[in-house]
Amino acid sequence: MDAVSDREQRVLDIIETARSKRAKFRDERITMAHGAGGKATQALIEGLLVPAFASPALDGLADAGIVRVGELGLALTTDSFVVRPLRFPGGSIGDLAVNGTVNDLSVAGARPLVLSLSLILEEGLPAETLRAEVAAIAAAARAAGVEVITGDTKVVERGHADELYICTTGIGVLDERASLSPAAPRPGDRILLSGRVGDHGTAIMLARGEFELDAEVASDTRSLWPAVDALLDAAGPSLRCLRDATRGGVASVLNELARAADVAMLVREADVPVDPAVAGAAEILGIDPLHIANEGTLVAVVAPEAADAALAALRAAGGRGDFAQAAEIGTCHGAPGGMVLLETAFGGKRVMDMLVGDPLPRIC
Amino acid sequence: MDAVSDREQRVLDIIETARSKRAKFRDERITMAHGAGGKATQALIEGLLVPAFASPALDGLADAGIVRVGELGLALTTDSFVVRPLRFPGGSIGDLAVNGTVNDLSVAGARPLVLSLSLILEEGLPAETLRAEVAAIAAAARAAGVEVITGDTKVVERGHADELYICTTGIGVLDERASLSPAAPRPGDRILLSGRVGDHGTAIMLARGEFELDAEVASDTRSLWPAVDALLDAAGPSLRCLRDATRGGVASVLNELARAADVAMLVREADVPVDPAVAGAAEILGIDPLHIANEGTLVAVVAPEAADAALAALRAAGGRGDFAQAAEIGTCHGAPGGMVLLETAFGGKRVMDMLVGDPLPRIC
């Protein structure tokens, strides 16, 4: 990459050295940071979970595992949802449980097919709360075109859960148009974003009443399959990879991809669509909107020759709300490999790393 | 059925009338009974969950949902595990999480293929506890011949979980030898049991130290696929249906099958294998060992002509421990449809219904 000063390069070298080591898990106890999607989560996953299973499917650390059965390629993905509060502007835990799983399949290039639903209920949960979430799950599944075909219910005593936890697992069928890999991005590739960043995390934060802000922000929870379908149609094999920017936000996703592909990613801050209310909330919290979780926003890396067509297709895609605010936000470069740099509105550059934890726990 | 007295018949008629109504969910709050696998669970599932999803796959209320993709038949099943304590004689939550899901696939006639693993961790959980359970999961998966291909981790604050909850979901491939249905049992069919009843629930109870009993009882947690494989080989299409006798025990499973097939099931108490320590614990608690949960014991209904071969194959099947104690415990009759009767050691008969709740909550 051009225009990295000597001083910047020295900082990059130090960070690079630290990051090239495989994450280790050395903590004696689990902390909230281990569930926040940042570096602590990565250390838990790479340092403890993945080595235990010695499964090639897990090595990619993707959002879905792939299994081949005869001629067929299937994607399997699972997520537990522990969001607090259960309901928030734009959605609820039931919506997230469906869309989160549908989206993990979608960004794996798999058309979502069926879901399983496992509930952990806290003793004393009002039946009306359960009824409302079951209705939300059914509605979200209909909207996403998937069927819930099996389930399980457990109840734990008061004080051993927080009303309701949901685990959804989904099967998708790998789309023949897709040849996606987190290692695929190359220098010159363009980085697309399907919409605004930070709406979901901000909506949750406001719903918790944790600070005063006279703003209305709704979660972006929705199925991303219409966006993925449009991108696959427009770009086919030129679509390098897709990621759903949930916990840890766009910044975490880009860092994971930059590392996996050993490319540098340069993001132009001015081109990232952010709602003014979200920008304001982020400012107050002292975090970057690119670190705030989304539940219906994806990052796509596309070969340069297909980028314009892909962006146009994305903007025209249907689905809940739409993807009209999709934008090209940056490009891939050869060096410094594994790093994400933000070109600020003032023309400077700074490293945009993953956070260790997340200032907003339990957002999904 | 012969030998039901007039008095017995009147009691049966009353129970029959009450049971023929579809279960309704009328409670205002969730109670522990809703998670216990008995009638309250049934009311929650049939009265609230199944109607919301309007999915034909859910109507069968089976342990796994079936989905066809092209030529392929797949089974999907999910379970959350909230057992307390995490470790107990014979196993741990990690073993249950693998074997429970593997067994739900197996009794659906599907060869277990891959699993997903979703963890909900309580803040402050010792890393060693997590490490031990992850190792148990990996070992149980190896023993069962399945691979964990994807996962998720969430962390909730202290006091919002009980150390560790696990949700596993599995995909299996429907075995061509299997044509199983809970509605298939017919008068004359034989009822087989793959081993002793009540070991798991009793082991959990003893591990909790809830009452004094100088006995060593270990959970029967293990993969049932070797037993299912042997039964399919020996009986093929004469194998009517299989059920894993977990929450609610053998009694609940038989009641579900008797209702689904509209047959009467007559169980000979003397032929049910029970460990003396389990029988003693059940006696103290005032419950029937047939109501106690198992985690590696199945019920098979087999056409009469194949029953002897099926039992011999079952007894010869391998796997953890073995199935040498498998037994034929009863037969199906035409009437009273939907009922399970127990022929006691003293020659009398009594109705063996499902319990409303379970005297042992959180056993899986």
Side-chain angles (χ1 to χ4, degrees):
Chain A
M1 191 187 303
D2 306 321
V4 174
S5 72
D6 280 0
R7 190 184 146 280
E8 283 171 337
Q9 189 56 56
R10 280 196 303 276
V11 174
L12 294 180
D13 288 346
I14 292 167
I15 296 174
E16 172 92 2
T17 307
R19 293 181 54 171
S20 60
K21 293 174 188 161
R22 190 178 173 95
K24 290 206 176 89
F25 182 77
R26 288 205 186 90
D27 303 285
E28 286 191 6
R29 291 186 176 273
I30 296 296
T31 66
M32 293 304 291
H34 291 119
K39 285 184 186 177
T41 302
Q42 198 179 40
L44 174 62
I45 294 172
E46 294 184 17
L48 196 157
L49 295 169
V50 171
F53 296 112
S55 161
L58 286 169
D59 284 344
L61 298 174
D63 291 321
I66 305 300
V67 58
R68 301 222 159 249
V69 190
E71 298 287 292
L72 204 67
L74 298 173
L76 179 70
T77 189
T78 190
D79 268 294
S80 286
F81 294 86
V82 299
V83 66
R84 200 168 44 94
L86 296 183
R87 311 217 122 213
F88 42 81
S92 70
I93 190 172
D95 295 294
L96 292 192
V98 171
N99 293 332
T101 297
V102 159
N103 291 347
D104 282 346
L105 294 173
S106 299
V107 296
R111 183 184 292 270
L113 188 64
V114 292
L115 298 184
S116 68
L117 173 67
S118 189
L119 304 172
I120 297 179
L121 312 178
E122 185 184 9
E123 183 186 17
L125 177 75
E128 277 319 299
T129 303
L130 179 59
R131 224 180 270 279
E133 290 318 310
V134 167
I137 291 165
R142 268 195 306 278
V146 294
E147 203 182 338
V148 175
I149 64 164
T150 189
D152 180 53
T153 308
K154 293 292 189 312
V155 182
V156 295
E157 302 87 349
R158 260 176 228 271
H160 287 311
D162 200 358
E163 298 192 278
L164 167 64
Y165 299 146
I166 303 178
C167 179
T168 39
T169 305
I171 300 181
V173 180
L174 287 182
D175 195 292
E176 288 181 359
R177 297 167 295 175
S179 56
L180 308 172
S181 162
R186 299 176 207 169
D189 285 354
R190 310 293 178 82
I191 304 164
L192 309 184
L193 196 62
S194 69
R196 286 199 306 252
V197 298
D199 287 10
H200 176 73
T202 307
I204 294 290
M205 198 164 43
L206 293 174
R208 287 186 193 157
E210 284 178 3
F211 67 104
E212 298 294 321
L213 189 72
D214 193 18
E216 284 191 13
V217 179
S219 168
D220 60 343
T221 177
R222 57 176 161 176
S223 164
L224 282 170
W225 177 252
V228 172
D229 193 29
L231 283 168
L232 287 171
D233 248 4
S238 297
L239 189 62
R240 310 282 200 211
C241 71
L242 297 169
R243 277 289 168 102
D244 183 16
T246 55
R247 283 184 291 179
V250 170
S252 294
V253 160
L254 293 179
N255 271 280
E256 284 170 21
L257 294 179
R259 278 180 68 189
D262 195 24
V263 297
M265 291 185 167
L266 181 65
V267 174
R268 298 178 301 271
E269 191 173 36
D271 292 341
V272 176
V274 189
D275 183 274
V278 171
E283 184 82 26
I284 292 170
L285 273 177
I287 56 174
D288 194 307
L290 287 163
H291 279 120
I292 302 180
N294 313 281
E295 288 290 335
T297 301
L298 62 75
V299 169
V301 181
V302 192
E305 65 275 14
D308 291 344
L311 182 58
L314 191 50
R315 286 180 169 159
R320 184 190 161 196
D322 56 39
F323 300 95
Q325 298 205 40
E328 185 184 310
I329 62 164
T331 47
C332 297
H333 298 260
M339 306 291 296
V340 180
L341 297 179
L342 191 69
E343 192 174 81
T344 66
F346 310 104
K349 282 196 201 73
R350 62 179 176 85
V351 174
M352 186 171 70
D353 205 349
M354 296 169 83
L355 299 181
V356 172
D358 191 313
L360 306 171
R362 292 182 57 190
I363 50 80
C364 64
Chain B
M1 191 187 307
D2 305 321
V4 174
S5 72
D6 279 0
R7 190 185 147 278
E8 283 171 337
Q9 189 55 55
R10 281 195 303 277
V11 173
L12 293 181
D13 287 347
I14 292 167
I15 296 176
E16 172 91 2
T17 306
R19 294 180 54 171
S20 61
K21 294 173 184 160
R22 191 181 173 91
K24 290 207 175 90
F25 182 77
R26 289 204 185 89
D27 303 285
E28 285 192 6
R29 291 186 176 272
I30 296 297
T31 66
M32 293 304 292
H34 291 119
K39 287 184 185 178
T41 302
Q42 198 179 37
L44 174 62
I45 295 172
E46 293 184 17
L48 196 157
L49 295 169
V50 171
F53 295 111
S55 161
L58 285 169
D59 285 343
L61 298 175
D63 292 320
I66 304 299
V67 57
R68 301 224 159 249
V69 190
E71 298 288 293
L72 204 66
L74 298 174
L76 179 70
T77 189
T78 190
D79 268 295
S80 286
F81 295 85
V82 299
V83 67
R84 201 168 44 94
L86 296 183
R87 310 219 123 213
F88 42 81
S92 71
I93 190 172
D95 296 294
L96 292 191
V98 171
N99 292 333
T101 298
V102 159
N103 291 347
D104 281 346
L105 294 173
S106 299
V107 296
R111 184 184 292 271
L113 188 65
V114 293
L115 298 184
S116 68
L117 173 68
S118 189
L119 304 172
I120 297 179
L121 311 178
E122 185 184 11
E123 183 186 15
L125 178 75
E128 278 319 299
T129 304
L130 179 59
R131 223 179 271 279
E133 290 318 311
V134 167
I137 291 165
R142 268 195 307 276
V146 294
E147 204 182 337
V148 176
I149 65 164
T150 190
D152 180 53
T153 309
K154 294 292 190 311
V155 181
V156 295
E157 302 87 349
R158 261 175 227 272
H160 288 311
D162 200 358
E163 298 193 278
L164 167 64
Y165 298 146
I166 302 178
C167 178
T168 39
T169 305
I171 300 181
V173 180
L174 287 181
D175 194 292
E176 288 181 0
R177 297 167 295 174
S179 57
L180 308 171
S181 162
R186 299 175 207 170
D189 285 354
R190 310 293 177 81
I191 304 164
L192 308 185
L193 196 62
S194 69
R196 287 199 307 253
V197 299
D199 287 9
H200 176 72
T202 308
I204 295 291
M205 198 164 43
L206 293 174
R208 287 186 194 157
E210 284 178 3
F211 67 103
E212 297 294 320
L213 189 72
D214 193 17
E216 285 191 12
V217 179
S219 168
D220 60 343
T221 177
R222 56 176 161 177
S223 163
L224 283 169
W225 176 252
V228 172
D229 194 29
L231 284 168
L232 287 171
D233 248 4
S238 298
L239 189 62
R240 310 281 200 210
C241 72
L242 296 169
R243 277 288 168 104
D244 183 14
T246 55
R247 283 183 290 179
V250 170
S252 294
V253 160
L254 293 179
N255 271 280
E256 284 170 20
L257 294 180
R259 279 180 68 189
D262 195 24
V263 296
M265 291 184 167
L266 181 64
V267 175
R268 298 178 300 271
E269 192 173 36
D271 291 342
V272 176
V274 189
D275 183 273
V278 170
E283 185 81 26
I284 291 170
L285 273 178
I287 56 175
D288 194 306
L290 287 163
H291 279 120
I292 302 180
N294 313 282
E295 288 291 335
T297 301
L298 62 75
V299 169
V301 181
V302 192
E305 65 275 13
D308 290 344
L311 182 58
L314 190 51
R315 285 180 170 159
R320 185 191 159 194
D322 57 38
F323 299 94
Q325 298 205 40
E328 185 184 310
I329 61 163
T331 47
C332 297
H333 297 261
M339 307 290 295
V340 180
L341 297 180
L342 192 69
E343 191 174 81
T344 66
F346 310 104
K349 283 197 200 72
R350 63 179 176 84
V351 174
M352 186 170 71
D353 205 350
M354 296 169 82
L355 300 181
V356 172
D358 191 313
L360 307 171
R362 293 182 57 189
I363 48 80
C364 63

